[in-house]
Amino acid sequence: MKTLQFREAIQQAMSEEMRNDESIYLMGEEVAEYNGAYKASKGMLDEFGPERVIDTPISELGFAGIGVGSAMTGNRPIIEFMTFNFALVGIDQIINNAAKIHQMSGGQFNCPIVFRGPTASAGQLAATHSQAFESWYANCPGLKVVVPSNPKDAKGLLKSAIRDNDPVIFMESEQMYGDKGEVPEGEFTIPLGVADIRREGTDVTIVSFGKIIKEADKAAEELAKENISVEIIDLRTVKPLDYEAVLKSVKKTNRLVVLEEAWPFGNVATEITYHVQSNAFDYLDAPIVKINTADTPAPYSPVLLAEWLPNHEDVVKAVKKVLYKL
């Protein structure tokens, strides 16, 4: 095992795959000369050259479309958005072309493309730079959606995403690029669609993913001091979602809290809640609680932002609520 920053794990995954397959290239704003807006492609221009590490104009619709077209004709592009907020400019290419071309061509075309970049809030970046679109993309058939929470998962999942023959939305966080963690040395991958039991417990299940899962970790440590045993499941992949892992845990703990940084209406937590009550209703000893952001655009004010964003105190309250300890 080697300790890497999240950005280094991303860089390693892309570089290793590009060494093994010349059809893979990286394209996006500032990915080449500047080594990436978050330094996640550091050194790649020097190694692979400007034909495979390609700087673009500020034109997400344009370079997303180039990526989709080249994927249809034999390449395996990695398209980096500076944030997924800006992917809204190119979302027509993602939803109407990348996600649908395999079906609409009767299987004649695959679209092995990865769209990657940071998602959700990252401090005081205000409403248009603080949005989480995981549930939007997961709602569209034909797309896979991956949201790692640590360097090991980032590397293993990104390698699998690059090798996948379907379009993959790979969502990171500006606030995680400096996070450090142990990553296996040598060749390894993590399959898409398999959740991770991040912490084992017996009293309540918390399901989460991405950087917000750190708040679940903090809550679990605090609750352990009160002899409350929390099991934390990191989904890692939102689509396909590992329903089996969630159901197995709920059948053990009989209580469920879902933590997601997203607006509350029609999100991933809503889907999980419906699935659990449909398939494990008799195992539940309390109503499911989901924790999301406030139902407003993200505020710029640090005081309001702290109220808007879920935190470990919200998780502690939710756990105690399902345990009838409030």
Side-chain angles (χ1 to χ4, degrees):
M1 303 286 275
K2 185 176 183 179
T3 300
L4 297 178
Q5 289 187 337
F6 194 103
R7 59 169 58 88
E8 293 173 319
I10 294 292
Q11 191 271 356
Q12 279 196 8
M14 293 190 294
S15 295
E16 289 175 10
E17 293 304 301
M18 287 174 70
R19 290 182 196 120
N20 292 332
D21 186 343
E22 291 187 355
S23 71
I24 301 169
Y25 67 89
L26 173 65
M27 175 183 284
E29 297 159 5
E30 299 185 352
V31 299
E33 296 287 347
Y34 193 65
N35 287 310
Y38 313 105
K39 300 300 181 276
S41 52
K42 186 176 181 180
M44 292 179 65
L45 174 62
D46 292 338
E47 179 174 355
F48 299 105
E51 291 187 355
R52 297 184 65 198
V53 181
I54 305 166
D55 278 332
T56 68
I58 302 173
S59 179
E60 288 81 5
L61 179 62
F63 63 78
I66 290 170
V68 172
S70 70
M72 292 168 58
T73 54
N75 293 294
R76 306 185 78 88
I78 304 165
I79 302 300
E80 178 180 312
F81 296 118
M82 199 172 290
T83 85
F84 268 95
N85 298 284
F86 306 143
L88 294 182
V89 182
I91 201 169
D92 178 60
Q93 291 293 338
I94 300 171
I95 301 297
N96 282 330
N97 291 330
K100 296 178 173 62
I101 194 62
H102 184 71
Q103 184 205 50
M104 292 179 67
S105 69
Q108 294 179 80
F109 290 104
N110 288 322
C111 193
I113 186 171
V114 175
F115 298 99
R116 51 160 292 270
T119 182
S121 66
Q124 287 180 262
L125 299 181
T128 60
H129 287 193
S130 303
Q131 302 168 107
F133 295 120
E134 292 89 333
S135 62
W136 285 29
Y137 290 111
N139 184 253
C140 179
L143 298 177
K144 296 178 180 178
V145 182
V146 181
V147 195
S149 66
N150 59 76
K152 176 185 175 182
D153 289 355
K155 182 176 180 181
L157 290 166
L158 183 53
K159 287 172 72 72
S160 292
I162 293 168
R163 296 178 188 184
D164 202 286
N165 284 327
D166 292 316
V168 179
I169 308 295
F170 195 92
M171 309 182 94
E172 303 153 14
S173 167
E174 292 158 85
Q175 292 182 322
M176 288 198 299
Y177 285 120
D179 288 0
K180 294 181 179 180
E182 290 189 337
V183 178
E185 295 191 71
E187 173 64 19
F188 93 102
T189 60
I190 296 173
L192 306 186
V194 179
D196 178 45
I197 300 176
R198 189 177 174 103
R199 180 189 182 109
E200 293 192 356
T202 57
D203 294 330
V204 61
T205 298
I206 299 176
V207 175
S208 189
F209 57 90
K211 73 174 171 62
I212 200 70
I213 203 170
K214 296 177 184 179
E215 300 302 316
D217 294 335
K218 293 177 190 175
E221 289 296 326
E222 187 173 319
L223 290 161
K225 297 173 184 175
E226 302 179 41
N227 294 317
I228 297 173
S229 175
V230 172
E231 181 149 297
I232 300 176
I233 294 180
D234 185 348
L235 290 178
R236 303 196 292 197
T237 304
V238 168
K239 183 79 171 287
L241 199 151
D242 191 352
Y243 293 109
E244 184 178 346
V246 176
L247 290 172
K248 184 177 180 181
S249 180
V250 169
K251 288 177 181 180
K252 177 175 71 172
T253 66
N254 310 116
R255 293 171 172 85
L256 175 62
V257 172
V258 188
L259 171 64
E260 178 188 6
E261 183 181 344
W263 296 309
F265 188 91
N267 53 32
V268 176
T270 305
E271 168 65 19
I272 294 169
T273 299
Y274 173 77
H275 194 87
V276 170
Q277 67 86 24
S278 296
N279 294 281
F281 181 81
D282 291 338
Y283 290 89
L284 290 170
D285 288 340
I288 299 166
V289 173
K290 68 187 191 84
I291 307 169
N292 299 121
T293 67
D295 196 12
T296 69
Y300 176 76
S301 159
V303 176
L304 293 177
L305 183 63
E307 287 296 315
W308 180 84
L309 195 63
N311 59 45
H312 75 281
E313 293 176 353
D314 298 324
V315 180
V316 168
K317 289 177 184 177
V319 168
K320 290 185 176 181
K321 181 177 181 179
V322 299
L323 288 169
Y324 301 107
K325 291 183 178 291
L326 280 182

